[in-house]
């Protein structure tokens, strides 16, 4: 596997499970859009950070508050700019965050340019997956103004009227004494109308008891911060974050409100989305894995572990390249819309090749990529078998026509050559060359006939020792000319096999001849005949150049050959004949060392079954 992280820009199998995959990806994209919108349009600074305080994402408002560009801010951690006098309060916030899940505090900060500000920092634990959401509001002006309020009523009035946040002054009976324009707009009431209300008039259900609890804390502490849902005039509901102070003037209380309805909604939606994603991720039939930008596995589902025969705990937090047996799925060259493709691996248990389709989506959430993998091995094997079957049928039809058209003219030509033999007026050397070429053409025609099954032959009990010796004797001259020693290994007893003698003779000839031709500079060819229970096994071992591992599976395909000579039909005929006899051919090879062809045939066959099959096809061809 290979992989590169994506550059700038927004980025992001067909059976059981594909609908779930589509819903999952669509939901992730929609939620990313929502988060992106809130980040870009919020007047407050917003960040997503890890539990250790590492910043993952910040918005433009945050950059403006800290007067830094986004890349510089992301090199810092939460709390980096907190002034010395505020660090204890910040440590307390971090400590209470794990217990309460939400904390808010005003903190003094020192910018990198030396400027001092006061910010109101609220942190929500794991608002998005395992990331904390922080909302930062520059309250420098508000803080300064509130401090001066106590000193100057005129300044207090100015701040009260111009503040962007809603401010309500209320008494110990919770009756509203005054409200600024922002508060009137927030509660959908005029200034005169809002004075007719009690604060608890805007609370419903369990929020009433929550409100009473807040008021009790206010009396005890003198100042509280929190959030609660209000039902506004007209019935619409808003979630407001508030800061309340006791005894700002006589027995009056002051509360500053800020609408966090959209932020709360986003947090709820993200948590619901995370739960749906988790269920889809774990229940999907396709393999799924999440990687970070360094290519480390952040999560894998059960299907993926089963697909690759891996243990979750042994792979999680490791690099994808450490997948057992080096799966060849590649996803280099990132693109805006993700990637899809195909890969394969050798199953270390079965030693079979597995084929996969994969889809890769980049940045499904900040710094993380989703890969979806489907095992299509069975489908690919079925397609390959269908292709071979179709090719075999087409070639059989072609072979039948060619053999029929060529065999009769060949018989005539062969007859005339026999008449010319011994005629002094004819160059006998040239005649021998023509005769040799005619024998080659006859062999090709015979191979075509075997492919088309035009000739009807019955099964008989064949002495395999005798048959093998005849084939070796016939090819011995060719072996001697090539500098090859042929070694024959037989058992103590004669071995018999029920088969079509001429067909098996052709198979042995093809494979032994291939072995001879594979040794261009001489060598040794060993032929071994053994009897194993109800099977006869013939091994042909050469020490030629060998066959590359990735090409062995192609042996038996039409016109595929391992040497420069011949038509490539020999091995196809051999595989076909052995298969029709109920046997099989196995090949093992090492380049530079040699190749072993192992032919296995059943000693006894259902003769009636095979005769019926051959007659049927003969009848179809005729």
């Amino acid at each position: 596997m290979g992989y590169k992280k994506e550059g700038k820009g927004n980025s992001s199998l067909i059976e059981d499970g594909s609908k779930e995959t589509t819903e999952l990806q669509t939901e992730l994209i929609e939620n990313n859009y929502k988060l992106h919108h809130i980040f870009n349009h919020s007047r407050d600074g917003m960040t997503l950070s890890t539990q250790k305080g590492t910043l993952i994402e910040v918005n433009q408002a945050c950059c403006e508050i800290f007067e830094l560009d986004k890349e510089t801010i992301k090199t810092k951690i939460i709390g980096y700019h907190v002034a010395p006098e505020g660090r204890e309060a910040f440590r307390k916030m971090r400590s209470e965050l794990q217990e309460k899940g939400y904390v808010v505090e005003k903190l003094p900060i020192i910018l990198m340019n030396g400027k001092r500000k006061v910010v109101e920092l609220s942190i929500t634990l794991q608002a998005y997956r395992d990331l904390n959401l922080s909302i930062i509001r520059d309250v420098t002006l508000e803080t300064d103004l509130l401090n001066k309020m106590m000193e100057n009523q005129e300044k207090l009035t100015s701040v009260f009227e111009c503040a962007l946040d809603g401010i309500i002054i209320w008494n110990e009976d919770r009756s509203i004494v005054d409200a600024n324009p922002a508060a009137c707009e927030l509660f959908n009431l005029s200034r005169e109308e809002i004075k007719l209300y009690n604060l608890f008039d805007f609370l419903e259900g369990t929020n009433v008891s929550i409100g009473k609890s807040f008021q009790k804390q206010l009396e005890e502490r003198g100042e509280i911060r929190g959030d609660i849902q209000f039902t506004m005039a007209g019935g619409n509901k808003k979630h407001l974050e508030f800061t309340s102070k006791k005894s700002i003037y006589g027995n009056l209380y002051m509360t500053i409100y800020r609408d966090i309805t959209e932020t709360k909604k986003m947090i709820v939606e993200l948590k619901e989305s995370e739960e749906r994603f988790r269920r889809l991720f774990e229940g999907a039939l396709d393999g799924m894995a999440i990687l970070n930008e360094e290519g480390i596995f952040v999560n894998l589902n059960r299907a993926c572990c089963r697909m690759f025969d891996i243990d979750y705990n042994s792979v999680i937090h490791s690099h994808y390249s450490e997948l057992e047996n080096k799966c060849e799925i590649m996803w280099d060259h990132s693109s805006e819309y993700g990637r899809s493709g195909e890969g394969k691996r050798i199953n270390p248990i079965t030693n079979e090749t597995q084929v996969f389709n994969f889809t890769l989506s980049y940045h499904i959430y900040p710094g993380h990529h989703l890969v979806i993998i489907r095992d299509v091995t069975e489908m690919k094997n079925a397609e390959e078998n269908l292709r071979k079957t179709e090719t075999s049928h087409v070639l059989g039809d072609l072979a039948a026509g060619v053999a029929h058209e060529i065999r009769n003219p060949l018989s005539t030509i062969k007859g005339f050559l026999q008449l010319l033999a011994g005629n002094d007026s004819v160059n006998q050397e040239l005649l021998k060359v023509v005769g040799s070429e005619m024998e080659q053409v006859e062999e090709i025609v015979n191979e075509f006939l075997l492919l088309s099954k035009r000739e009807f032959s019955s099964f008989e009990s064949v002495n395999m020792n005798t048959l093998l010796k005849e084939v070796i004797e016939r090819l011995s001259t060719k072996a001697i000319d090539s500098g090859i020693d042929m070694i024959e290994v037989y058992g103590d007893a004669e071995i018999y096999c029920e088969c079509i003698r001429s067909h098996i003779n052709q198979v042995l000839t093809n494979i032994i001849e291939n072995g001879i031709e594979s040794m261009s500079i001489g060598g040794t060819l060993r032929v071994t005949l053994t009897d194993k229970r109800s099977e006869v096994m013939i091994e042909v071992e050469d020490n030629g150049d060998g066959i590359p591992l990735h090409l062995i599976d192609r042996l038996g395909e039409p016109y595929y050959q391992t040497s420069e000579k011949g038509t490539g039909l020999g091995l196809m005929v051999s595989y076909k004949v052995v298969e029709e006899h109920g046997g099989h051919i196995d090949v093992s090879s090492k380049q530079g060392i040699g190749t072993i062809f192992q032919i296995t045939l059943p000693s006894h066959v259902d003769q009636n079954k095979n005769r019926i099959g051959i007659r049927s096809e003969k009848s179809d061809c005729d």
Side-chain angles (χ1 to χ4, degrees):
M1 290 195 292
Y3 143 95
K4 294 178 183 176
K5 71 168 96 171
E6 186 184 47
K8 295 181 179 179
N10 292 329
S11 304
S12 53
L13 263 192
I14 295 245
E15 298 166 351
D16 294 340
S18 62
K19 180 178 178 181
E20 293 177 340
T21 300
T22 302
E23 292 176 350
L24 181 151
Q25 291 179 320
T26 301
E27 178 179 336
L28 286 172
I29 292 170
E30 290 177 351
N31 284 327
N32 279 338
Y33 285 155
K34 292 177 182 177
L35 181 59
H36 179 76
H37 178 80
I38 291 173
F39 261 60
N40 284 343
H41 295 83
S42 176
R43 292 182 301 173
D44 296 325
M46 301 180 74
T47 71
L48 286 172
S49 62
T50 66
Q51 300 306 309
K52 293 182 178 180
T54 302
L55 290 169
I56 302 300
E57 188 57 83
V58 299
N59 69 348
Q60 184 59 35
C62 185
C63 297
E64 293 171 0
I65 291 173
F66 291 92
E67 300 181 18
L68 292 171
D69 61 83
K70 185 177 292 188
E71 296 304 317
T72 302
I73 291 180
K74 289 174 73 174
T75 63
K76 311 304 178 184
I77 63 173
I78 290 291
Y80 175 85
H81 294 91
V82 175
E85 63 268 28
R87 289 175 186 169
E88 180 60 33
F90 179 72
R91 280 194 291 269
K92 184 177 179 182
M93 284 182 70
R94 294 298 301 270
S95 174
E96 292 178 347
L97 179 62
Q98 299 298 323
E99 178 184 350
K100 298 180 179 180
Y102 174 84
V103 290
V104 60
E105 184 62 84
K106 284 185 180 179
L107 298 169
I109 63 172
I110 303 175
L111 306 187
M112 294 183 68
N113 59 14
K115 187 184 297 185
R116 299 180 68 93
K117 290 185 179 181
V118 178
V119 297
E120 186 178 81
L121 171 64
S122 63
I123 307 177
T124 302
L125 180 68
Q126 296 181 342
Y128 179 47
R129 297 188 67 80
D130 59 342
L131 303 179
N132 296 340
L133 173 68
S134 297
I135 300 175
I136 307 161
R137 185 162 62 95
D138 186 350
V139 294
T140 307
L141 180 60
E142 294 177 23
T143 303
D144 292 340
L145 292 175
L146 283 173
N147 289 334
K148 292 176 182 179
M149 264 196 214
M150 306 300 295
E151 302 172 358
N152 193 308
Q153 183 65 38
E154 185 177 340
K155 292 181 179 179
L156 174 62
T157 302
S158 177
V159 172
F160 184 78
E161 295 295 331
C162 299
L164 295 176
D165 290 324
I167 303 175
I168 291 180
I169 307 298
W170 48 283
N171 61 27
E172 57 187 5
D173 295 326
R174 302 188 292 267
S175 296
I176 298 174
V177 175
D178 201 359
N180 72 344
C184 294
E185 183 179 352
L186 187 62
F187 284 82
N188 301 326
L189 292 168
S190 68
R191 196 161 192 167
E192 295 305 317
E193 289 173 333
I194 201 169
K195 293 178 182 180
L196 302 176
Y197 283 80
N198 181 291
L199 280 180
F200 279 23
D201 290 339
F202 300 102
L203 301 179
E204 293 182 347
T206 57
N207 289 317
V208 175
S209 58
I210 295 174
K212 291 179 179 179
S213 175
F214 278 136
Q215 187 175 7
K216 182 179 179 181
Q217 294 176 40
L218 178 60
E219 296 297 333
E220 295 172 351
R221 304 176 188 175
E223 179 179 345
I224 61 166
R225 295 179 178 88
D227 63 87
I228 193 170
Q229 187 182 73
F230 287 78
T231 302
M232 305 302 177
N236 60 317
K237 300 181 185 297
K238 294 181 182 180
H239 213 103
L240 304 183
E241 186 177 75
F242 65 87
T243 300
S244 293
K245 279 186 172 291
K246 177 184 177 182
S247 302
I248 59 165
Y249 183 77
N251 293 324
L252 296 180
Y253 301 75
M254 180 181 72
T255 303
I256 302 173
Y257 294 96
R258 183 155 52 98
D259 190 350
I260 59 168
T261 306
E262 288 301 319
T263 302
K264 277 286 185 180
K265 184 178 179 181
M266 180 196 73
I267 294 172
V268 171
E269 287 178 348
L270 288 175
K271 287 190 175 182
E272 291 176 349
S273 173
E274 180 183 359
E275 179 60 22
R276 286 195 295 269
F277 174 80
R278 187 190 64 78
R279 290 198 298 265
L280 287 170
F281 185 84
E282 290 299 330
L285 298 177
D286 295 324
M288 293 186 179
I290 296 176
L291 307 168
N292 65 17
E293 291 191 321
E294 285 71 44
I296 304 299
F297 283 114
V298 176
N299 203 356
L300 301 90
N301 68 352
R302 289 188 293 267
C304 187
C305 294
R306 288 195 302 268
M307 195 175 293
F308 291 98
D309 303 309
I310 53 178
D311 177 68
Y312 177 90
N313 294 322
S314 66
V315 175
I316 196 67
H317 305 315
S318 65
H319 195 267
Y320 68 81
S321 62
E322 295 181 19
L323 261 184
E324 190 174 358
N325 207 38
K326 297 181 180 178
C327 178
E328 296 178 357
I329 290 181
M330 308 296 293
W331 47 69
D332 288 336
H333 312 300
S334 62
S335 65
E336 181 177 355
Y337 302 104
R339 291 198 61 229
S340 62
E342 188 174 283
K344 56 180 66 175
R345 74 189 281 263
I346 304 298
N347 189 302
I349 298 176
T350 64
N351 206 34
E352 296 178 348
T353 300
Q354 290 177 281
V355 183
F356 303 95
N357 281 343
F358 72 88
T359 301
L360 178 68
S361 297
Y362 295 96
H363 299 287
I364 59 166
Y365 62 93
H368 292 77
H369 317 304
L370 172 70
V371 60
I372 302 172
I373 310 170
R374 172 170 291 182
D375 191 336
V376 294
T377 306
E378 292 185 3
M379 183 179 71
K380 288 291 182 180
N381 290 341
E383 290 176 355
E384 180 64 17
N385 291 336
L386 179 61
R387 185 187 66 80
K388 288 182 178 180
T389 301
E390 291 176 345
T391 303
S392 178
H393 288 164
V394 171
L395 193 57
D397 292 340
L398 175 63
V402 172
H404 178 74
E405 295 296 331
I406 294 178
R407 202 172 195 195
N408 289 338
L410 279 179
S411 298
T412 303
I413 296 172
K414 192 174 182 181
F416 280 111
L417 287 175
Q418 291 172 348
L419 289 175
L420 292 173
N423 190 328
D424 295 336
S425 63
V426 178
N427 188 320
Q428 295 299 309
E429 291 300 320
L430 293 176
L431 197 62
K432 287 181 181 179
V433 173
V434 174
S436 176
E437 295 300 319
M438 284 294 299
E439 288 179 1
Q440 182 65 30
V441 174
E442 269 196 311
E443 286 185 12
I444 295 173
V445 171
N446 288 336
E447 288 176 344
F448 274 128
L449 286 171
L450 284 175
L451 285 174
S452 63
K453 294 186 179 179
R454 280 284 185 167
E455 291 191 339
F456 171 73
S457 300
S458 61
F459 282 71
E460 58 181 304
S461 181
V462 177
N463 186 319
M464 296 301 292
N465 300 65
T466 302
L467 177 60
L468 193 55
K469 288 176 182 177
E470 290 176 358
V471 173
I472 293 173
E473 184 177 353
R474 188 165 63 251
L475 296 173
S476 60
T477 301
K478 185 173 183 177
I480 293 171
D481 292 342
S482 301
I484 296 171
D485 294 329
M486 298 183 71
I487 300 175
E488 304 171 56
V489 181
Y490 302 98
D492 296 333
E494 299 288 316
I495 298 174
Y496 289 84
C497 176
E498 290 185 7
C499 61
I500 301 176
R501 194 180 197 280
S502 61
H503 292 189
I504 299 303
N505 175 76
Q506 187 69 47
V507 171
L508 296 175
T509 300
N510 289 340
I511 293 179
I512 294 174
E513 194 167 24
N514 279 351
I516 294 172
E517 293 175 353
S518 72
M519 295 181 282
S520 57
I521 57 174
T524 302
L525 185 76
R526 178 184 294 271
V527 182
T528 305
L529 174 65
T530 56
D531 184 11
K532 292 190 175 182
R533 296 181 182 178
S534 60
E535 293 181 332
V536 175
M537 185 181 297
I538 305 103
E539 281 190 356
V540 180
E541 180 180 359
D542 65 65
N543 54 10
D545 297 332
I547 306 171
L549 182 62
H550 68 281
L551 297 179
I552 289 180
D553 290 339
R554 294 194 59 192
L555 297 178
E557 290 185 5
Y559 302 109
Y560 177 75
Q561 57 204 67
T562 58
S563 66
E564 296 180 357
K565 301 178 181 179
T567 63
L569 290 172
L571 282 177
M572 181 181 180
V573 169
S574 300
Y575 272 81
K576 188 176 182 65
V577 167
V578 172
E579 183 181 347
E580 290 171 351
H581 277 73
H584 55 88
I585 298 177
D586 298 307
V587 184
S588 60
S589 182
K590 291 185 178 179
Q591 287 188 274
I593 297 178
T595 304
I596 300 176
F597 275 82
Q598 188 179 80
I599 307 164
T600 304
L601 296 167
S603 300
H604 304 280
V605 296
D606 186 346
Q607 296 185 34
N608 293 326
K609 178 180 178 181
N610 284 276
R611 286 200 182 105
I612 291 171
I614 293 174
R615 282 201 194 97
S616 171
E617 296 207 14
K618 177 178 183 299
S619 175
D620 291 342
C621 292
D622 294 341

